[in-house]
Amino acid sequence: MTGPAPHILVVEDEAPIQAFLRATLVAHGYRCTAVGTAREALMQVTAQPPDVVLLDLGLPDGDGLGVARQIREWSTVPVIVISARGQERDKVAALDMGADDYLTKPFGVPEMLARIRVALRHAARKDATPPAVQTWGGGGPEGFRVDLPRRLVFRRRAGVEGEVRLTPTEFRLLAMFVRHNGKVLTHAEILKEVWGPVHAGEVAYLRVYVGQLRQKLEAVPSLPRWLLTEPGVGYRLVESDAE
């Protein structure tokens, strides 16, 4: 790693969790600042802009949703929401307000570190031109690749690749996942972009099309490897292979 280590801002009011997160991040080579209030969080983002924000939704002087909204008004820093189980509505609201990802308490250290790495990669690529062709499954026997400019999709089964025929709507849906691969997309934002605002509440409709994509792209559609469900929130296409 060249240059200074990435700076992570932890916004968490529970002292034991805050201390654990800070110690863990430092032990894995990150610089870390930890605060416990919404006010301190906004001050830190302004005074010492971090590379990633880990944001708890339950804060003593306000709610994390408001913090996420205010940060997104002027900053593109990746925000990973930390949420307790059963708070799907809050998680969806935070993602719709501009948060990039979320972690559900309790979460494991490997998952947290993986989400941070994804956020850092996405931030580094924001000003870069995305690759025209992206691949999932590497050189293994199962996988697929998507050529967005040519609107072509190829599926690899048992090492043999062939073109996959998608309907126009299926391709629009897949293209959205590809453009945001690795990021959680809420039901509402997917429906608005692919079908338009009047369909924003038709989650069952979206579920049908995701099922169709899995049938065409996944080795075992009932146990998806790439197009994952985020329960109560939306979907995530895992990151494409190294480019």
Side-chain angles (χ1 to χ4, degrees):
M1 181 182 292
T2 59
H7 175 214
I8 313 299
L9 174 62
V10 173
V11 187
E12 168 62 66
D13 67 317
E14 295 186 42
I17 298 177
Q18 184 189 107
F20 170 74
L21 291 174
R22 182 171 189 169
T24 300
L25 291 166
V26 170
H28 284 84
Y30 295 103
R31 293 177 295 138
C32 181
T33 301
V35 299
T37 67
R39 180 174 178 274
E40 290 175 311
L42 293 170
M43 289 176 61
Q44 281 292 330
V45 172
T46 303
Q48 190 180 6
D51 296 296
V52 176
V53 177
L54 290 182
L55 175 64
D56 186 18
L57 291 183
L59 299 172
D61 61 336
D63 113 27
L65 297 177
V67 174
R69 183 183 65 252
Q70 290 183 67
I71 289 175
R72 197 51 76 228
E73 286 175 356
W74 53 271
S75 174
T76 60
V77 61
V79 176
I80 302 176
V81 164
I82 301 173
S83 174
R85 292 187 184 279
Q87 291 184 311
E88 282 85 2
R89 290 183 181 179
D90 285 343
K91 290 185 289 191
V92 170
L95 291 165
D96 284 341
M97 286 181 184
D100 297 88
D101 204 347
Y102 73 88
L103 285 164
T104 300
K105 295 178 180 177
F107 52 83
V109 169
E111 180 183 12
M112 177 186 72
L113 295 174
R115 300 291 179 91
I116 290 172
R117 289 194 297 270
V118 168
L120 289 169
R121 284 195 293 269
H122 283 183
R125 291 202 304 246
K126 275 186 177 177
D127 296 328
T129 302
V133 181
Q134 297 186 52
T135 302
W136 285 259
E142 301 290 332
F144 65 96
R145 62 186 174 96
V146 180
D147 185 331
L148 288 179
R150 298 170 63 201
R151 300 178 64 85
L152 295 175
V153 180
F154 299 90
R155 172 78 168 85
R156 191 168 59 258
R157 298 175 187 271
V160 179
E161 187 175 78
E163 185 177 350
V164 176
R165 297 293 183 180
L166 300 183
T167 68
T169 300
E170 288 170 349
F171 187 85
R172 286 199 304 273
L173 179 58
L174 179 60
M176 182 179 185
F177 286 130
V178 170
R179 289 195 301 271
H180 301 284
N181 71 85
K183 184 179 185 299
V184 177
L185 298 175
T186 66
H187 297 129
E189 62 185 323
I190 298 169
L191 286 160
K192 286 178 183 176
E193 179 165 328
V194 178
W195 284 277
V198 296
H199 297 284
E202 298 180 12
V203 176
Y205 194 64
L206 172 58
R207 191 174 296 119
V208 170
Y209 275 87
V210 168
Q212 291 172 187
L213 281 181
R214 285 172 171 164
Q215 288 290 335
K216 294 182 178 183
L217 300 178
E218 297 278 359
V220 183
S222 60
L223 297 172
R225 173 182 172 187
W226 295 291
L227 184 48
L228 307 180
T229 299
E230 297 289 339
V233 177
Y235 298 96
R236 176 205 306 268
L237 179 64
V238 301
E239 273 204 301
S240 55
D241 298 322
E243 295 134 16

